[in-house]
Amino acid sequence: MHEIVVNLHMHTRFSDGSGTHKDIAQAAMQTGLDVVIVTDHNVLVQGVEGYYRSGPSRVLLLVGQEVHDQALKPQKNHLLVFNANRDVASYAPDPQHLINVIREADGMSFIAHPRDPEAPAFGEDDISWERWDVTGFTGLELWNGLSELKVYLKSKLHGIFYAFFPQFIGHGPLPEVLLKWDELTLDGKRIVAIGGSDAHAMYMSLGPISRTIYPYEFHFKAVNTHLFTSEPLTGDTATDRRLVYEAFKNGRCFVGYDLPASTKGFHFRAQGSSEDVTMGEEISAKGGVTLQIRLPGLADCRLIKDGKILKQWKRGDNFAHITTEPGIYRVEVYRRYLGRKVGWIFSNPIYVR
Ligand SMILES: [Zn+2]
Ligand SMILES: [Zn+2]
């Protein structure tokens, strides 16, 4: 398995972002990302997908879209769409039909910012996902950089503080979203968790202050999705696109908050009598299973089984747990950053059957 760092969910001038695809590729190369997935609102931008290169650096830029029903007020129910190979925005008024169309096209759908609260001081509506009656979607955006910010925007003053000190925004996935995810997987559904930045590189003007807030570079160093591909990336767009989307589909990934320290090197594996599996995969409980967790630095770790904390460890980087009990096992890691405890790593589950 080969770990690659992906930043996903961002906007360009084709919707409400301020930059171009080239700006995004440039920022991604500067921050050392392997892949970016651009998802403009209700448009599938053509002709920009591929490798961008600068000196020894390269980045694979992929294009998906973020679809929602524009007639709905407020505009709730945003869906991230990858690999559908066609524009599906016209299906937005019926989310279940939209999800079905994406599946039939061999694409993937992820519920974007499942909880996205209102921020009245900035005239921002609650645009959470409400259609929980739908089925067949690939996963959900466990941690969204922008909806987390909306939680803290109590006043204009808060807005100015976070515009200048964005490193204070990230705390972790919203608790309601973690709960919802566990509820869905306990119900027997495979729901892949991803982390999105929702980068817009917005231009803000407030009295005498005007600047680009949360530039792409900032987001690319913060909430990323770390994927495990079956082969290393080759530099060929079609081959690597397939490798990347195959890993997403199988949930071979974790959400990493790379701002306090890089989360590269995290591992969550399970070893049985004859199998050795990673996140997103299944293993038989027969004969016992050893769950192994390796962190890229000292931190506090929780092993979660079926939505409940099974075990907790303080300040370590290597943990193991032996079990014969079937269940959905996942890992949460927390560490100190700027005087607060923040979420660092959120793994996808290993399914012990
Ligand atoms: Zn959205
Ligand atoms: Zn968005």
Side-chain angles (χ1 to χ4, degrees), residues 196-327:
S197 58
D198 218 346
H200 288 74
M202 286 172 281
Y203 191 72
M204 184 191 79
S205 178
L206 201 68
I209 308 162
S210 62
R211 60 187 259 138
T212 300
I213 51 169
Y214 321 123
Y216 297 117
E217 291 86 349
F218 167 74
H219 277 295
F220 294 174
K221 288 184 281 193
V223 180
N224 288 310
T225 303
H226 292 238
L227 275 188
F228 294 92
T229 56
S230 51
E231 308 280 336
L233 296 185
T234 61
D236 172 66
T237 300
T239 308
D240 294 350
R241 187 181 194 276
R242 208 164 40 239
L243 285 170
V244 166
Y245 285 142
E246 188 229 336
F248 268 114
K249 195 166 238 169
N250 291 303
R252 280 201 312 266
C253 55
F254 67 87
V255 179
Y257 182 43
D258 290 312
L259 199 60
S262 169
T263 60
K264 222 171 172 174
F266 168 76
H267 269 290
F268 178 38
R269 305 196 64 83
Q271 268 179 314
S273 43
S274 58
E275 299 161 284
D276 183 348
V277 304
T278 187
M279 290 163 271
E281 298 179 332
E282 208 177 290
I283 189 166
S284 164
K286 235 175 146 189
V289 167
T290 305
L291 297 167
Q292 289 182 334
I293 304 161
R294 199 179 73 211
L295 309 184
L298 295 178
D300 298 346
C301 183
R302 284 178 185 171
L303 179 63
I304 314 272
K305 175 179 179 277
D306 299 333
K308 295 203 171 62
I309 299 172
L310 177 68
K311 230 169 168 176
Q312 297 200 69
W313 298 275
K314 287 264 174 217
R315 275 185 69 77
D317 57 7
N318 227 319
F319 313 104
H321 177 75
I322 297 169
T323 186
T324 52
E325 279 186 46

Side-chain angles (χ1 to χ4, degrees), residues 29-44:
M29 283 187 279
Q30 267 161 28
T31 38
L33 293 175
D34 299 299
V35 178
V36 280
I37 308 179
V38 185
T39 53
D40 275 305
H41 294 287
N42 299 306
V43 56
L44 185 68

